[in-house]
């Protein structure tokens, strides 16, 4: 169970309720904001571990909300996951925002939501640091075993083994 705090900024009551229900079951503390203005205020107050941000908000966009939140020093390391029905059209706008670490296309399933949140929490700080500093991100997180060489190799000649 996680004790991470997730701030959800989405104007859809249905989405907020669904996200709250499923993430709370996973042990996350979920805080809900129904518009960008409230979301900005809550981000400063609670300093969440992750912000799940809707791209289309009343009177503004998720991009504008994201930029406003990132102006505050206390919020500069918070990772964002952007959610939208516009998919590629919306996400391209966030390409230069280092804190946007993932996207979640709407509609989404509870399992996809949980995976996106868990992944963003696990890799968010590493992605933000790499995008801010212009450094490479590892392709795999965590330990990986070296693949074992196994099978029948009688068909290999000495030349192939030496070349290998």
């Amino acid at each position: 169970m996680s004790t991470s705090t997730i701030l959800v900024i989405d104007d859809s009551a249905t989405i907020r309720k669904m996200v709250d229900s499923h993430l709370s079951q996973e042990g996350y503390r979920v805080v809900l904001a129904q518009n960008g203005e409230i979301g900005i205020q809550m981000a400063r107050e609670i300093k969440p571990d992750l912000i799940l941000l809707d791209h289309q908000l009343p009177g503004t966009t998720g991009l504008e909300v994201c930029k406003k939140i990132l102006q505050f020093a206390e919020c500069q390391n918070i990772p964002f996951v952007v959610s939208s029905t516009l998919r590629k059209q919306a996400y391209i706008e966030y390409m230069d925002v280092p804190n946007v670490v993932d996207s979640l296309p709407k509609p989404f399933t509870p399992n996809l939501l949980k995976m996106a949140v868990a992944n963003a929490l696990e890799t968010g700080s590493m992605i933000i640091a790499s995008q801010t500093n212009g450094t490479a991100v590892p392709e795999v997180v965590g330990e990986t075993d070296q693949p074992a060489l196994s099978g029948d190799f009688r068909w290999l000649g000495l030349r192939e083994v030496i070349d290998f």
Side-chain angles (χ1 to χ4, degrees):
M1 295 288 262
S2 175
T3 57
S4 299
T5 300
I6 313 298
L7 173 58
V8 180
I9 306 173
D10 199 303
D11 61 317
S12 168
T14 304
I15 294 289
R16 289 193 311 271
K17 184 176 180 178
M18 188 273 274
V19 170
D20 184 23
S21 172
H22 290 288
L23 293 183
S24 294
Q25 288 175 5
E26 296 295 309
Y28 296 110
R29 176 178 171 240
V30 181
V31 181
L32 306 172
Q34 67 267 24
N35 63 46
E37 187 176 313
I38 293 171
I40 293 166
Q41 180 182 0
M42 292 178 97
R44 291 193 74 191
E45 290 173 9
I46 65 171
K47 297 167 199 72
D49 298 295
L50 176 71
I51 297 176
L52 180 59
L53 179 63
D54 184 17
H55 174 65
Q56 296 175 290
L57 294 165
T60 188
T61 66
L63 182 61
E64 291 303 315
V65 170
C66 183
K67 287 179 178 180
K68 287 178 183 176
I69 291 172
L70 293 176
Q71 288 178 353
F72 304 109
E74 65 270 28
C75 298
Q76 290 180 351
N77 292 316
I78 300 172
F80 287 75
V81 173
V82 177
S83 183
S84 178
T85 56
L86 298 176
R87 299 176 189 256
K88 291 179 189 175
Q89 296 167 342
Y91 305 134
I92 195 134
E93 294 180 32
Y94 296 88
M95 293 199 50
D96 292 330
V97 182
N99 292 53
V100 176
V101 299
D102 204 355
S103 59
L104 183 62
K106 289 181 182 176
F108 51 81
T109 64
N111 285 340
L112 183 58
L113 167 69
K114 293 172 194 176
M115 285 188 338
V117 167
N119 184 58
L121 287 169
E122 183 175 352
T123 62
S125 61
M126 181 179 13
I127 294 170
I128 291 168
S130 71
Q131 292 182 6
T132 301
N133 301 327
T135 56
V137 178
E139 293 178 7
V140 178
V141 176
E143 292 184 38
T144 58
D145 294 331
Q146 291 294 325
L149 198 56
S150 63
D152 183 1
F153 297 100
R154 286 180 281 179
W155 58 273
L156 287 175
L158 182 58
R159 181 80 239 155
E160 287 88 1
V161 172
I162 292 171
D163 288 343
F164 180 71

